[in-house]
Amino acid sequence: MLTKYVNYCTTAEAIETIPRGRIKIHLDKIDQTRQMELHSLTLTEQGLEMEFAENLNLYEHLRMIQILLRARYTRVHVIPEDMPYFGYWFSDDCLEYTLMMADHPADIRLRSSVHVMEWLGIEHNLSKESFQPLYPTTQIEVQYGDINVTIPVTIAYKEINVITMIRNCQRMKEEMAGVMATILDILGQTYNNHREL
């Protein structure tokens, strides 16, 4: 069952069941581990330990995925290399996030968006000026029915960790709550205007 589930999630035959209740993991078929030059694999009390040739990008990807999973985020993905920025996609029970990484920590951004359905009939009432961000560094853009909210990631420690991600995502939720309230206000005003006609 585990083999079928993992293979389904990775869309590859990454795990193979072999006799006597054993499994074989094909690291070369998993995107995150395809570049590894495996030297040793050890099962410890903390889980599976892997040693591989130094690859700083791969190490950073694995470290960030681990941080996001420890912070209990789901649907964690590394943004593909053909995108104009690099980083991670992930979500929680409320929002979907894009963590846009940069060479300098001050340039790292967190983005989330909400799509306003066309059938609501309020897209012509939405503009950048409709929304008032809570923080002066927040950027709000309206494009093709999407309201995109981008905030700089505040890092209080030497590097990004679980606490950093939780705090920044909480800030994003506060900003998105304001965006949603504004959308509901505009919807209410539009509805009242139509009723008066």
Side-chain angles (χ1 to χ4, degrees), residues 67 117-119 121 137 168 181:
I67 286 169
M117 301 298 177
E118 292 79 17
W119 54 266
T137 54
N168 283 279

Side-chain angles (χ1 to χ4, degrees), residues 28-164:
D28 59 323
K29 294 183 180 179
I30 303 171
D31 287 340
Q32 284 85 357
T33 56
R34 187 173 290 141
Q35 303 291 329
M36 285 185 179
E37 293 178 24
L38 197 61
H39 295 293
S40 69
L41 190 63
T42 312
L43 194 57
T44 68
E45 289 181 11
Q46 289 76 32
L48 198 62
E49 280 186 6
M50 292 182 279
E51 291 181 23
F52 49 90
E54 188 170 315
N55 180 333
L56 293 179
N57 285 341
L58 180 60
Y59 171 78
E60 185 58 26
H61 285 327
L62 292 174
R63 189 183 76 79
M64 278 305 302
I65 289 169
Q66 190 175 35
I67 286 169
L68 293 169
L69 292 173
R70 279 187 180 152
R72 305 239 186 265
Y73 295 108
T74 59
R75 295 168 52 200
V76 178
H77 297 283
V78 176
I79 295 174
E81 292 177 5
D82 59 353
M83 294 290 285
Y85 49 85
F86 66 100
Y88 308 88
W89 290 317
F90 59 100
S91 60
D92 58 16
D93 59 347
C94 184
L95 295 173
E96 293 184 348
Y97 305 92
T98 301
L99 178 63
M100 297 180 290
M101 302 302 285
D103 292 333
H104 194 283
D107 297 327
I108 298 173
R109 300 283 181 260
L110 185 65
R111 174 180 284 171
S112 192
S113 65
V114 63
H115 182 72
V116 178
M117 301 298 177
E118 292 79 17
W119 54 266
L120 289 173
I122 62 171
E123 65 275 354
H124 61 279
N125 295 338
L126 298 174
S127 69
K128 184 177 179 176
E129 291 73 31
S130 304
F131 302 95
Q132 300 300 317
L134 295 175
Y135 301 95
T137 54
T138 300
Q139 297 174 342
I140 300 177
E141 299 170 347
V142 179
Q143 191 175 37
Y144 309 116
D146 289 329
I147 293 101
N148 299 310
V149 179
T150 306
I151 63 172
V153 173
T154 305
I155 305 171
Y157 301 90
K158 286 193 295 186
E159 58 185 7
I160 294 177
N161 60 18
V162 172
I163 296 169
T164 298

Side-chain angles (χ1 to χ4, degrees), residues 174-192:
E174 292 169 6
E175 288 287 4
M176 290 302 284
V179 166
M180 294 302 292
T182 301
I183 292 170
L184 291 174
D185 285 346
I186 292 170
L187 186 60
Q189 290 168 5
T190 304
Y191 175 74
N192 286 336

